[in-house]
Amino acid sequence: MELNEIIKDAPNDVTIVESIVITHSKLKKYEKILCSISGGSDSDVLIDLCQKYEEAKKITYAFFDTGLEFKATKEHLIFLEKKYGIHIERIRAIKPIPLCCKEYGQPFLSKQVSEWISRLQAHNFQWEDEGLEILLEKYPNCRAALRWWCNDFEKSDSGRESSFNIAYNQYLKEFMIQNPPKFKISNKCCYFAKKKVANKFKKDGKFDLNIYGVRKSEGGARRSAYKTCFTSNGEEGDEYRPIFWYLSETKKVYEEHYNIVNSKCYSEYGLKRTGCAGCPYGKNFEEELQSMKKNEPQLFAAVNNIFADSYEYTREYRNFVKQKRDNNR
Ligand code: SF4
C-alpha cells in the first residue's frame, strides 16, 4: 500500500499519523534493520506499524528468550508470524536466568538497588548504621554503594529524594539493618539474559537501524534516558522508537482501529505486562504469581524455585513498610 493510502486509512490521531510517516521514512532510508519483539502489547503495535510497508522486508525481527517466558508469549509469536507472514528469530540467553541467579544472586526490588546491594555484599558489608567516613575506612573501594547506603546524594530542588539514595525506597535502610539479607542479590541476570545477548546479536548482524517498542509514558530509567524517538549512534547503528510518543489512549485507538490481538497473557491471564515471568522487580509480582499458578503452573513452580529468597525478602520488606506506616498514623 502507498503511504498516502495508509494515511487515508489511519485513525484521526496526530501521534499515530506522525508515527506512520516517520516509520515509513526510516524504513526507506535504512537497509539492514533489526526490530526487537517482546510478545507484549507494545510490540504488537510495533510490528503492525512496520508491516504496513513493502520495505518491511528489510527487517529482521528478533525475540530474546530469557528462559523465563510464558507459554502464551511463545504461542503469540507463532500467531504473529502467521498473521504477518514474517519470521521472528528466537535468540537464547547467553546464560539463562536460573543459572545467573544461582551464580551471581537474585534480583531484588529494582535493578539499581540490586546493583548497590551486590557491591556491598562483595565487600562483606555488615549493614551497619554508621557515617560515610567511618564506612569508607572500613570498606575502601566501595564508595558509590556506600554513598547510596548513607544517603549522601542531595535531594532535588523540589525536595524529592534522589534515586541514588537508599531512602528513595522508604524504610529500606531500617529494614536491612534489622534484617540483613541472607542470600546473594544481583542484577546480573538482566545483563546475561537480555543486554549482552542483544548487544552481541546487534553487533554480529551489523544492523544500521535498531527498532524498539519503547513508550515514554511507561516511565522507568531506560525511557527517561531518551529525549526523542530517535538516537543517532554512528557506526553502532541508529535507534528508532516508533511508538515513543504513544500514550495509553493512543495505543488503545491504534489497537481498536487496526484490530490488534494481544497474547493470552493479557486477554486470558489478566496480566498488565509480559516479559520475564515473575520478575521480582515487578510491583505486581504477587498478582502475576497468582495468575501464573492458575494458567501456567509449571512456570509458577519454576519461578518460585528460582526467586524464592527474593520473593520472601520482598514480602518481609513490604510488611515492614506497612507496619511502619500504620504506626505513624
Ligand atoms: S527482567 Fe527481571 S528476571 Fe528478567 S532478566 Fe531482568 S532481573 Fe532477571
Side-chain angles (χ1 to χ4, degrees), residues 66 68 97 107 187 189-191 193-194 273 276-277 279-281 307:
T66 60
L68 272 192
I97 293 171
N187 63 9
C189 64
C190 254
Y191 178 69
K194 286 176 151 186
R273 62 167 276 283
C276 297
C279 173
Y281 292 162
F307 301 128

Side-chain angles (χ1 to χ4, degrees), residues 37-39 44 47 63 70-90 261 263:
I37 295 304
S38 68
D44 287 341
I47 296 188
F63 170 78
F70 286 97
K71 215 159 67 192
T73 300
K74 293 187 174 175
E75 286 167 8
H76 190 61
L77 296 179
I78 298 169
F79 163 81
L80 291 168
E81 289 182 319
K82 286 193 184 139
K83 178 175 176 185
Y84 296 104
I86 55 174
H87 169 70
I88 301 172
E89 299 258 355
R90 276 72 161 174
V261 176
S263 85

